[in-house]
Amino acid sequence: MNESDQMKKHRFKMPSAFTILFGLTVFIAILTWFIPAGTYSTTPDGTLISGTYRTVASHTQGLWDVLMAPIIGMIGNKQTTGAIEISIFILVIGGFLGVVNQTGALDDGIRAIVHRYTGHEKRLIIILMILFSVGGSTYGMGEETMAFFPLLIPIMMGVGYDSLVAVGIILLSTRVGDLASTVNPFATGVASGIIKISPGVGLFSRVILLVIVTAMAIWFVIHYAEKVKKDPTKSLVYSQRQEDMKRFSVADRTSAPKPLTKNQKHVLWVFCLTFVIMIVGLVPWTSINKSWNFFDRFNSWITGNAFLGTILGKDIVSLGNWYFNEITLLFLLMSIVIMFVSHMKEGQFINAFMNGMADLLNVAIIVAVARGIQAIMNSGMITGTILHLGETSLSGLPKPVFAILAFVFFCVLSVLIPSSSGLAAATMGIMGSLAVFSHVEGSVVVSAFQASSGLITAITPTSAILMGALALSHVSLTTWWKWTAKLIVSLFVVTCGFLAIVSVM
C-alpha cells in the first residue's frame, strides 16, 4: 500500500446526519445529570410565561430514554409534540416529485430552455439562475439538479466560459434560493411548524431578500463568465480546460432535445399551479388586512351550500388558513391530477410515488430523530433551565442583535447538521422560545435559520449537494472556496442587515 492509499484510508469521513443527531441526543441525556431541572408556567395554549421559571426535582435521562427519544420525536408525548405531520408531508411531497420526474417534464423543460437560448448565454444565465433560485426557494431544489451539470457544462465551455460558470449557475442559484426560502417545505415549513406559526408569516420580506440575493449571485456569475471569455487564463480551472473539453465532449455540444409533448406541457402547468396554490393557501391574508377575507367568504359559501357542502365536505379549510395537513392533501391530490394529465398507468403512478417517497424517507426520519433531542431535553426538564439562561442573557439585547446572533448560531450548527429539516427539528424549539423572551417575531428566527442553511450548504464539505456537484464537475473544493469567498461574505453581510431590519419592523 503506497502513501497515497494510506492517506485515503485514514482520511477523516464526516459522520451522517443520523449519527450526529443521535450523538447530540446522548450528549443532552448526559447533561440532564449535571444541569438543574426547571420549568416555566404556561398559558392555556402552551406559551411560556416570561419570569415564571422555577427549579424542580432532577429528571435524569438514561439509556432507555435515549433509545426512546426518536420514537417520541415522531409520535410525541405530553411534553413534546411529535413530528408525524411534518414527516408525512415530506414523504408526500417526495411522492409528488417522483410522479413529476416520471413524466420527464421537468428535465425536458429545462433542456428545452437551454437549447432555445444557445447563442444568448448571458440571457440564459439570468433565466436559468432565476428558475433554479425559485426552485430552491419554493421546494428546496438541490439534489434534483445533479442531472443538469453534465448538460450545462459543455454549453458554457463551448461559448468560451468554463465549468465553474455552469456549476455556479446551478449550485449558487439553488443555495441563494434556499437562503431566502419563501415556502420551502423542508426549511420554512418544518421550522414554522415547530414554533407553531404559519409558513406564510414573513413571506413578503423573504421575497424581497430572494430578489436581492438572486441578483447578487447572477451578477457574480456573469462578471466572472465575461472575464473568462475575454481572457481564458483568468479561469480558476484553466489548467484542466483541455481535459474538461474532452471529458465533457464540448466539441460535440449537446444535441437538440425533443420538443415537449402536449402531456409534458400540461404536467408543467399543474406543477407550477401546485406551488401557486400552496403559496396562496399559506399566506395569512386576513392577518395582513382584515378586509382580505375573500377566501373565507368563498369557503363559507361552499360549505354552506347543501349540495356542494355534502359532496365536498363541511370541514374544508379556506385558503389563507392552511397548515401541514392541507398542503399535504394538496400535493397528494395534484399527484393524482398529474397521473391523469400525463395518461400514466396506475402501476407506474404507484411505483413513481412510492419511489419518490423513498428518496425522502431519510429526511422524514431525520426530523423525528432530531425532534428526539427536544424530547430528551423536555423529559429531563432542562429545557426550562436553558431557556432561563437565554432569557437572562439575551432578553436585554436589542432585537437586531438577537436576530444576528441567532443567524450566527444557526450557521455554526449547519456545518454539523447540513440537513435543513434536521437542523430545524433540533434547534427551532428552543430558539423560538428565546425569541419570545426577546420579543422577536418567530418569522425572524425562521428567516435566520433558513438563511444559515442555504449559505452554509454552499460551502461546507458535509453538504451532499455541494460535494456531489463538485464531483460531477471535477472542480476541487478549495477552488470552489477561492471562487465563492467574496460572494459568501457579501451574502452573510446582506443577510445580517436584512435580519436587523425585519426584527424591528
Side-chain angles (χ1 to χ4, degrees):
M1 183 182 294
N2 58 38
E3 185 177 350
S4 177
D5 292 335
Q6 288 180 337
M7 289 178 64
K8 291 180 180 179
K9 180 179 179 180
H10 296 291
R11 183 177 297 167
F12 174 75
K13 183 178 180 181
M14 196 71 180
S16 68
F18 288 101
T19 301
I20 292 172
L21 291 171
F22 190 76
L24 287 173
T25 303
V26 173
F27 176 70
I28 296 298
I30 294 173
L31 289 183
T32 64
W33 289 74
F34 301 98
I35 296 178
T39 187
Y40 278 88
S41 298
T42 62
T43 61
D45 66 356
T47 302
L48 301 181
I49 301 175
S50 179
T52 61
Y53 172 79
R54 66 185 185 278
T55 58
V56 295
S58 178
H59 287 68
T60 57
Q61 301 292 288
L63 181 60
W64 174 274
D65 305 294
V66 169
L67 296 175
M68 184 63 71
I71 300 172
I72 295 176
M74 177 64 81
I75 63 177
N77 61 9
K78 291 182 179 180
Q79 292 88 17
T80 305
T81 303
I84 186 68
E85 64 178 6
I86 301 175
S87 294
I88 290 177
F89 170 64
I90 290 171
L91 292 176
V92 170
I93 197 173
F96 169 80
L97 293 174
V99 173
V100 173
N101 290 332
Q102 177 67 29
T103 68
L106 202 57
D107 289 353
D108 290 346
I110 293 182
R111 287 191 183 97
I113 292 173
V114 169
H115 179 69
R116 178 180 179 183
Y117 286 93
T118 298
H120 304 280
E121 283 74 18
K122 190 181 293 186
R123 189 186 309 171
L124 179 62
I125 289 174
I126 296 173
I127 292 173
L128 285 181
M129 291 193 72
I130 290 175
L131 289 176
F132 283 123
S133 177
V134 170
S137 180
T138 54
Y139 73 96
M141 191 178 195
E143 288 86 350
E144 306 91 328
T145 62
M146 294 301 171
F148 299 115
F149 289 96
L151 171 68
L152 201 55
I153 288 174
I155 294 176
M156 292 297 110
M157 293 190 67
V159 296
Y161 299 152
D162 64 12
S163 57
L164 267 178
V165 173
V167 179
I169 289 173
I170 301 171
L171 191 58
L172 288 178
S173 53
T174 57
R175 294 306 86 212
V176 297
D178 198 29
L179 183 156
S181 292
T182 49
V183 290
N184 178 356
F186 309 113
T188 314
V190 175
S192 299
I194 290 172
I195 62 174
K196 300 178 181 179
I197 65 171
S198 168
V201 179
L203 174 63
F204 295 122
S205 63
R206 291 195 289 266
V207 169
I208 294 173
L209 179 63
L210 177 64
V211 173
I212 294 172
V213 296
T214 301
M216 291 173 62
I218 290 173
W219 179 88
F220 178 81
V221 172
I222 289 180
H223 177 73
Y224 173 79
E226 290 301 299
K227 183 173 69 173
V228 169
K229 193 168 187 177
K230 291 178 181 178
D231 183 0
T233 62
K234 298 292 186 182
S235 169
L236 295 181
V237 289
Y238 178 73
S239 62
Q240 64 186 57
R241 182 172 181 83
Q242 294 305 315
E243 187 178 356
D244 283 341
M245 294 285 284
K246 296 178 182 178
R247 180 186 291 131
F248 296 106
S249 303
V250 175
D252 298 333
R253 300 292 297 273
T254 304
S255 59
K258 295 183 295 183
L260 284 168
T261 66
K262 185 177 181 180
N263 287 343
Q264 286 180 321
K265 292 178 181 178
H266 291 163
V267 168
L268 289 177
W269 276 110
V270 174
F271 179 84
C272 295
L273 179 62
T274 302
F275 285 94
V276 171
I277 294 174
M278 182 180 73
I279 292 171
V280 174
L282 290 173
V283 174
W285 301 105
T286 54
S287 66
I288 298 171
N289 190 319
K290 291 184 179 180
S291 64
W292 295 357
N293 59 356
F294 170 80
F295 295 120
D296 290 337
R297 289 187 282 110
F298 182 70
N299 189 69
S300 297
W301 176 77
I302 291 178
T303 56
N305 184 283
F307 175 74
L308 293 177
T310 301
I311 297 298
L312 298 177
K314 299 289 186 179
D315 298 323
I316 300 175
V317 179
S318 62
L319 294 170
N321 296 299
W322 281 16
Y323 204 50
F324 280 101
N325 287 348
E326 290 74 29
I327 55 179
T328 300
L329 181 148
L330 171 66
F331 281 100
L332 178 60
L333 172 63
M334 289 308 205
S335 299
I336 298 172
V337 171
I338 289 174
M339 177 185 70
F340 287 106
V341 166
S342 63
H343 303 292
M344 190 181 299
K345 294 181 179 180
E346 181 269 346
Q348 285 182 309
F349 169 77
I350 295 299
N351 288 335
F353 193 87
M354 296 303 293
N355 289 336
M357 292 178 71
D359 289 340
L360 293 184
L361 179 62
N362 65 323
V363 178
I365 301 301
I366 278 175
V367 171
V369 175
R371 185 64 68 88
I373 296 174
Q374 190 68 48
I376 283 286
M377 293 179 65
N378 291 343
S379 298
M381 301 195 74
I382 64 172
T383 302
T385 304
I386 294 174
L387 291 177
H388 178 62
L389 176 63
E391 180 184 10
T392 56
S393 59
L394 297 179
S395 59
L397 292 176
K399 293 181 181 180
V401 176
F402 177 90
I404 293 173
L405 287 178
F407 174 52
V408 173
F409 169 75
F410 284 129
C411 283
V412 173
L413 284 187
S414 291
V415 175
L416 295 176
I417 311 175
S419 164
S420 59
S421 303
L423 180 63
T427 62
M428 281 304 296
I430 288 184
M431 293 305 294
S433 298
L434 289 179
V436 172
F437 291 143
S438 297
H439 307 290
V440 173
E441 294 293 331
S443 61
V444 176
V445 181
V446 172
S447 295
F449 149 74
Q450 61 192 26
S452 69
S453 180
L455 186 68
I456 297 304
T457 51
I459 57 174
T460 178
T462 60
S463 169
I465 298 172
L466 172 64
M467 300 311 291
L470 296 184
L472 277 172
S473 310
H474 296 270
V475 174
S476 70
L477 182 61
T478 53
T479 299
W480 177 257
W481 283 344
K482 182 180 179 180
W483 183 49
T484 59
K486 291 182 180 179
L487 177 63
I488 295 299
V489 172
S490 299
L491 291 171
F492 179 87
V493 173
V494 167
T495 302
C496 288
F498 166 78
L499 293 171
I501 293 172
V502 296
S503 67
V504 295
M505 292 177 62

